[in-house]
Amino acid sequence: MIERPPEANGDLARNRLRDSRLGRIEWVAETGSTNVDLAARARDGAPEQVLVTDHQTAGRGRLDRRWESPPGAGLLVSVLLRPAVAADHLPLVTLVAGLAGVGAAHDLGAHEVTLSWPNDVVVGVDDRYRKVAGVLAEAVLHGEERAVVVGMGCNVDLPPGFAVPRGNDPVSLAELVGSPPDRADLLVAYLTRLADGVARLETEGSVAVVAEARRSMWTLGREVVVTDGGERIAGRAIDVDDVGRLILETARGRRVVAAGDVRPEGGTS
Ligand code: BT5
């Protein structure tokens, strides 16, 4: 559903986030990928800003996967951040953004939404999950400068029968709350939480982010399989460490995982 023209959605969000560090917002009808667009701007030295679109023709997931979303069916947003954090804390931006996505879904009434480490916003169904949103954070190094472009695709109102590859089971906020939320409201909720989360990361380090991740993570306490490149690690997810890595208890002892895809043991979702 397209609530209003993109410029009007952009005006609405800009007005409501006038005093935020993320108040520089542009909402366009269509582009290839908002992450690619903002990465190019970051390399040109652009300041912190937000790009939203109704439709992407080449939406990206991690590892060159695709993010699919029919026009108007999702919130497709990228944020160019220049966080004042140490390089080893940059991966925490993925968690901060995922938690902002979870919080924004709660703000709009989808209280069952949670985080699947490291980048999926999900709803647990028995031992599986359905994917509401995905986060893609990419570092951009240019000269001495460093930026992060963090993109989120969130399913707002998917058409019946919408399916994606790789065994992911999409679900939309409309299905969870009974009617499609306004994407400008969702954007404002998300950016408000993202700006807060990044500010906390800058001022307090990882403590608050990790504490929130421990509270809101679907993954913790579950038997999971993590695939990272060719490696497959099975174990119980027991914690996240102070740089956001997942700690697994495996048959061969503890393993600390920095990246990868997490699936429930024996599951495909
Ligand atoms: C992600 O990757 O989940 C990150 C997605 C980030 C998308 C945003 S949209 C705005 C910004 N601009 C971009 O170009 N990208 C970002 P990953 O964990 O690799 O998951 C990708 C997988 O999710 C795909 O292989 C599909 O299985 C599944 N998928 C694709 N579209 C989906 C959808 N609408 N809902 C649920 N799952 C989906």
Side-chain angles (χ1 to χ4, degrees), residues 198-210:
V198 173
R200 258 185 301 156
L201 192 59
E202 291 174 330
T203 53
E204 298 168 26
S206 62
V207 180
V209 180
V210 170

Side-chain angles (χ1 to χ4, degrees), residues 31-36 51 53 56 58-70 75-79 118-121 130-138 149-155 158 162-171 260-261 263:
T31 186
S33 154
T34 52
N35 260 43
V36 170
L51 180 62
T53 190
Q56 294 182 130
R60 300 179 53 213
R62 294 177 303 156
L63 305 171
D64 291 329
R65 297 179 196 138
R66 295 288 302 252
W67 186 259
E68 306 287 352
S69 190
L75 177 67
L76 309 169
V77 51
S78 293
V79 180
N119 74 318
D120 284 346
V121 176
R130 305 184 71 193
K131 187 159 166 169
V132 182
V135 170
L136 173 66
E138 299 177 289
V149 174
V150 58
M152 182 182 72
C154 179
N155 297 322
L158 294 172
F162 178 78
V164 296
R166 292 181 23 82
N168 272 309
D169 182 10
V171 63
D261 283 311
R263 302 281 184 225

